[in-house]
């Protein structure tokens, strides 16, 4: 028999110190579980991947500009994981802002550039 412990309870005690707690209460609550809930971790990564592709202006979400500060302001059950997830999400958004990677070149084309 396998017994699973429930994830740790996160209380919204940061309404006064975290601006996103009142503006984006539901998303704020969900972000508080990225260190223990794989579905919420994936939801944050999906948000990061689509940040430059979709219009989130009408949806109350905590945006990428706040993610690192958000991670610093809260207490986590698994702090290393939370730091890694938010850092990865910010990196993904930053790469999207930079545009697509340069086109790949064939090995022969690269050799020609080196010879010049």
């Amino acid at each position: 028999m396998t017994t699973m412990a429930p994830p740790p309870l996160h209380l919204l005690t940061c309404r006064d110190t975290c601006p996103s707690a009142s503006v984006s209460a539901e998303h704020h609550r969900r972000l508080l579980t990225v260190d223990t809930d794989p579905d919420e971790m994936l939801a944050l990564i999906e948000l990061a991947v689509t940040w430059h592709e979709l219009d989130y202006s009408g949806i109350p979400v905590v945006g990428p500009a706040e993610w690192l500060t958000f991670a610093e302001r809260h207490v986590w059950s698994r702090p290393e994981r939370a730091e890694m997830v938010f850092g990865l999400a910010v990196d993904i958004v930053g790469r999207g802002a930079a545009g697509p990677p340069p086109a790949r070149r064939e090995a022969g084309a690269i050799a020609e550039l080196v010879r010049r």
Side-chain angles (χ1 to χ4, degrees), residues 13-92:
T13 57
C14 56
R15 288 196 184 272
D16 296 330
T17 60
C18 185
S20 59
S22 59
V23 176
S24 317
E26 175 62 20
H27 192 233
H28 180 276
R29 182 192 62 73
R30 291 175 53 205
L31 286 178
L32 289 175
T33 64
V34 299
D35 63 329
T36 57
D37 184 342
D39 290 333
E40 291 304 330
M41 182 187 311
L42 289 173
L44 175 60
I45 297 303
E46 181 180 20
L47 179 64
V49 168
T50 60
W51 189 256
H52 295 293
E53 300 169 3
L54 303 176
D55 180 13
Y56 289 99
S57 61
I59 303 170
V61 294
V62 178
E66 301 175 60
W67 290 342
L68 293 178
T69 330
F70 184 95
E72 292 171 358
R73 286 183 177 153
H74 295 86
V75 177
W76 303 98
S77 299
R78 303 194 60 184
E80 299 85 15
R81 179 180 288 172
E83 180 182 332
M84 187 170 32
V85 170
F86 282 104
L88 177 60
V90 168
D91 185 51
I92 291 169

Side-chain angles (χ1 to χ4, degrees), residues 101-112:
R104 291 189 67 163
R105 296 180 185 243
E106 297 294 322
I110 293 173
E112 276 302 311

